Amino acid sequence: MLELREIHRRFGDVQALHDVSLTVPPGRAVGFVGRNGAGKTTAMRVALGLVEPDAGEVRWDGRPITAADRLRIGYMPEERGLYPGMSALDQLVHLARLAGWSRADAAARATALLDQLELAGRSTQKVEELSLGNQQRVQLAAALVHDPDVLVLDEPFSGLDPIGVDVLSATLAERLRDGVGLLFSSHQLELVERLCDEVVVIDGGRIADRFVVGQVDPGTLGDRFREVIGR
């Protein structure tokens, strides 16, 4: 279980995060929503150890997180980080090898993921030759290839067509059934409502609201979001 506890982070005169707390339990999906610049990406980077908080703590299974624990997190940044000149398959094998997998196991894992994400026929293409939507699928595979316990995904559905959305949604739903925790940000509130168990709303670096999806009327997430950030 991944937790952020009372996280504060300032950049110069800007208070990017103020007393931000959230929990990502095993097998649960937490939607992290807010307008641009609200603090979503900064909070995710704190969880990953890419940004140090000024105060507060990141915890893993009830204790302070370690570098080894962070290897159990799969991260998909909003700004994509793929190697454009490598094939999709070679890239995933390389990443799995960096995580300690044998070459044979890495190849098997990469092949299975590309098949699940409906990219088997494009596995030998260079990433730069793929459409933006297919690059997005490879990026998700890169977050999954080392079999993480928690996924932290920043705008994973950005730029996808409806088929791509369905493929990624099905892949994430399967991981949730396997007990993987999921934290993801998105401006597509209908997807948040469809996939998530809980929604955390951040505004101006502060948690403005949080609620369980099943406890609000279906289709009303957008109205509630606008009401909260309009306060």
Side-chain angles (χ1 to χ4, degrees):
M1 181 167 68
L2 176 67
E3 298 176 79
L4 274 63
R5 289 192 178 182
E6 301 175 355
I7 299 296
H8 295 254
R9 186 61 161 95
R10 176 180 289 276
F11 296 99
D13 295 332
V14 177
Q15 186 70 46
L17 299 174
H18 181 87
D19 197 25
V20 169
S21 297
L22 60 84
T23 301
V24 186
R28 303 278 288 180
V30 179
F32 199 28
V33 301
R35 59 182 121 202
N36 292 336
K40 302 183 298 295
T41 296
T42 299
M44 290 179 166
R45 288 175 174 170
V46 168
L48 271 292
L50 302 175
V51 172
E52 286 294 322
D54 297 323
E57 186 177 41
V58 181
R59 297 179 68 83
W60 182 267
D61 289 343
R63 54 175 171 73
I65 197 168
T66 67
D69 296 328
R70 284 192 165 106
L71 294 177
R72 303 304 310 143
I73 301 175
Y75 180 44
M76 184 174 176
E78 184 175 12
E79 65 284 353
R80 304 311 177 212
L82 300 170
Y83 298 112
M86 292 181 72
S87 73
L89 179 61
D90 286 346
Q91 182 149 209
L92 296 179
V93 170
H94 173 67
L95 293 173
R97 295 280 287 151
L98 289 177
W101 291 51
S102 70
R103 183 170 298 279
D105 288 344
R109 173 71 171 167
T111 299
L113 281 170
L114 289 170
D115 184 56
Q116 182 177 22
L117 291 165
E118 299 184 7
L119 289 173
R122 302 182 183 278
S123 64
T124 60
Q125 284 186 252
K126 293 180 180 179
V127 170
E128 62 189 1
E129 297 171 350
L130 299 174
S131 69
L132 292 178
N134 284 336
Q135 288 182 30
Q136 193 91 325
R137 299 191 202 193
V138 177
Q139 187 77 60
L140 178 61
L144 291 168
V145 74
H146 63 297
D147 196 22
D149 297 318
V150 172
L151 286 168
V152 176
L153 312 180
D154 200 350
E155 294 289 344
F157 297 97
S158 177
L160 290 177
D161 61 23
I163 293 175
V165 168
D166 286 345
V167 169
L168 261 69
S169 297
T171 300
L172 295 176
E174 179 180 298
R175 295 310 183 280
L176 289 166
R177 289 192 295 270
D178 290 341
V180 174
L182 170 62
L183 174 67
F184 81 93
S185 69
S186 179
H187 290 113
Q188 296 166 270
L189 298 181
E190 71 282 359
L191 286 171
V192 174
E193 189 168 25
R194 185 203 312 176
L195 288 173
C196 290
D197 303 288
E198 180 185 0
V199 175
V200 177
V201 182
I202 188 169
D203 191 41
R206 299 171 183 263
I207 300 300
D209 198 6
R210 64 178 82 221
F211 52 90
V212 176
V213 171
Q215 295 177 357
V216 298
D217 293 335
T220 63
L221 178 56
D223 292 337
R224 180 154 182 172
F225 173 72
R226 284 185 286 274
E227 177 186 347
V228 168
I229 66 171
R231 288 174 183 168

